[in-house]
Amino acid sequence: MTWAPDGTKATNMPGMPAMAQAYARWVNANGGIDGHELRILTCNEQNTSAGAAACARRAVQEKVAAVVGSYSQNGRAFMAPLEVAGIPYIGGYGTTDEEFSSYLSYPVNGGQAALIAGHGMQLADQCRRVSLVRPDTVSGDKMPELLNSGLRKASRRTAVDIPAVEDAGEYIAQAEQARSEAGKKHGCVTAVLGERTQNFFDSFRRLPSDDHEVRISSVLGSVGQQLVDRTGGSNSVFEGAFVTGWYPEAGDRRWEPMRKVIKEHAFADNRVDPADPGVQTTWIAYTVLKKVIESLNTDTVTATKVARALDQGVRVDTGGLTPDLRWRYEDMLGVPGMPRLVNHEVTFQVVRQGRLVAQRPGFVDVGDTVRRAP
């Protein structure tokens, strides 16, 4: 099963279930996974705890082998039913604590913690002062210290924390404060508001011009290539913006196998954007599932067998999209509250001529930075 919210007033991720369905069409057209047909169930998580719990209960009722490549901010609601049934959660988007603490969760990225801490590192050499606009939520409350842990990697500076309502239509007051606090020169305004990040920067763009020279920044998931295209490409407010991601930039050749599958098996589905980090995470998560099933060499695939193979150290090569993934105890970073974190590398990107490109080659390890955050 793959679940994600769709049609809600907050963050929507319809591309993740759509990518799962395209992946299934691809592998089944080529004989399945080790001879097994891949059958996909999808569920609209609705961005509510009730919706997440309902999806998890359906996964249990349907006896799925795994929940793969999914998005939810409601970890408490979905993880408990999966644990009772012994169903592994592979490659969640990384928005909840449970994804990095449950013994049945197998994350493929460093989640929000790695992005925010990495973003602080990216900004440390670029910005004299930083304003952070973030959701006024439990999850958002963790962002300032994570960003500051990255900023402190190169200086003693800390960001100005500006909480904001997650689903507001406009953010004029927060935009004015953020620009003012960033200072007149070499300041940066960072907004991490999910789908509402565009609303914030629309408000920021409408501020009366003054003598402030600031650059804007964010993380993938809040800003992506589709948003840059939609807001004017090289003429967009995002031109020159700094962005931190989990994976290589969307134009990297390592995404070519995924792009080929999308072209051949989801060509008419505009939900499947190869530059969407949710779609990318689902692709990587199903790459993990495929490797695990191939390692089983069995006629019957069950949740118990999948979880056991992961626990026993099956190694997954993702074609360079992440470091090799493995979930043994010795592979985990062991951060308090995030003991299951195995991939603590991020990429630094920048918008140049309307395209998100690498600011520097390769991955940046943020493990020590995440570990130092309170």
Side-chain angles (χ1 to χ4, degrees):
M1 176 178 280
T2 296
W3 62 54
D6 189 14
T8 75
K9 294 182 179 180
T11 299
N12 296 298
M13 288 286 182
M16 299 179 76
M19 181 71 247
Q21 292 169 326
Y23 191 97
R25 288 192 291 271
W26 168 60
V27 296
N28 291 335
N30 290 278
I33 302 178
D34 196 31
H36 299 276
E37 179 188 2
L38 177 58
R39 296 191 296 272
I40 301 292
L41 298 175
T42 63
C43 190
N44 185 353
E45 184 266 358
Q46 300 177 351
N47 261 325
T48 66
S49 58
C55 287
R57 288 195 300 269
R58 185 179 169 210
V60 173
Q61 292 166 358
E62 299 281 0
K63 299 181 180 180
V64 304
V67 175
V68 185
S70 296
Y71 180 100
S72 176
Q73 298 184 46
N74 300 288
R76 290 184 180 179
F78 72 73
M79 206 68 232
L82 297 186
E83 288 178 346
V84 170
I87 297 173
Y89 189 74
I90 301 173
Y93 190 80
T95 61
T96 69
D97 292 344
E98 288 77 10
E99 292 173 71
F100 297 97
S101 60
S102 171
Y103 65 94
L104 277 173
S105 181
Y106 304 87
V108 300
N109 60 45
Q112 180 174 270
L115 285 183
I116 303 299
H119 198 54
M121 292 174 61
Q122 185 179 15
L123 298 182
D125 295 329
Q126 308 290 337
C127 312
R128 183 177 297 169
R129 296 172 65 180
V130 178
S131 298
L132 170 64
V133 183
R134 49 84 175 179
D136 190 9
T137 62
V138 173
S139 177
D141 289 345
K142 300 175 183 178
M143 291 184 185
E145 280 304 323
L146 285 164
L147 187 76
N148 289 337
S149 69
L151 288 171
R152 285 192 292 264
K153 186 86 172 177
S155 71
R156 293 185 178 181
R157 295 190 302 276
T158 58
V160 176
D161 180 27
I162 304 175
V165 177
E166 188 174 25
D167 58 354
E170 58 87 20
Y171 295 91
I172 292 293
Q174 291 84 0
E176 288 177 337
Q177 182 184 356
R179 187 174 70 175
S180 175
E181 296 286 2
K184 292 187 178 296
K185 286 189 177 181
H186 306 298
C188 291
V189 171
T190 299
V192 184
L193 294 164
E195 285 194 352
R196 298 293 172 161
T197 302
Q198 179 179 354
N199 295 46
F200 171 81
F201 282 118
D202 282 344
S203 298
F204 187 84
R205 179 176 52 82
R206 294 199 304 272
L207 293 177
S209 60
D210 64 6
D211 57 350
H212 284 74
E213 298 176 8
V214 300
R215 295 185 72 169
I216 64 175
S217 71
S218 190
V219 298
L220 279 179
S222 287
V223 170
Q225 186 61 55
Q226 194 174 52
L227 178 56
V228 175
D229 293 342
R230 193 167 62 243
T231 55
S234 59
N235 296 317
S236 166
V237 66
F238 296 105
E239 181 67 20
F242 299 114
V243 181
T244 304
W246 292 306
Y247 315 123
E249 67 274 16
D252 191 282
R253 59 177 177 76
R254 285 168 285 188
W255 291 112
E256 186 55 36
M258 182 189 73
R259 287 195 292 266
K260 183 178 180 182
V261 169
I262 292 172
K263 181 178 180 180
E264 294 178 356
H265 296 277
F267 61 92
D269 192 339
N270 59 14
R271 295 175 298 170
V272 187
D273 177 5
D276 176 6
V279 168
Q280 295 171 348
T281 298
T282 301
W283 169 264
I284 292 170
Y286 273 95
T287 300
V288 172
L289 180 71
K290 183 173 184 289
K291 177 65 176 180
V292 170
I293 292 174
E294 289 171 344
S295 76
L296 295 178
N297 192 28
T298 181
D299 292 334
T300 304
V301 177
T302 65
T304 299
K305 290 179 180 180
V306 170
R308 183 182 300 125
L310 288 161
D311 291 338
Q312 290 178 346
V314 61
R315 181 189 292 271
V316 180
D317 177 356
T318 64
L321 298 173
T322 68
D324 283 0
L325 298 173
R326 192 159 52 172
W327 293 269
R328 302 171 305 169
Y329 177 79
E330 54 265 41
D331 299 310
M332 298 177 186
L333 187 62
V335 176
M338 302 180 68
R340 304 285 293 178
L341 180 63
V342 298
N343 176 10
H344 34 88
E345 297 191 353
V346 299
T347 58
F348 292 169
Q349 302 176 32
V350 65
V351 180
R352 292 195 183 114
Q353 298 182 342
R355 306 301 300 174
L356 265 168
V357 298
Q359 183 190 12
R360 55 182 285 183
F363 291 96
V364 178
D365 192 328
V366 300
D368 286 344
T369 307
V370 173
R371 190 183 283 117
R372 286 199 302 271

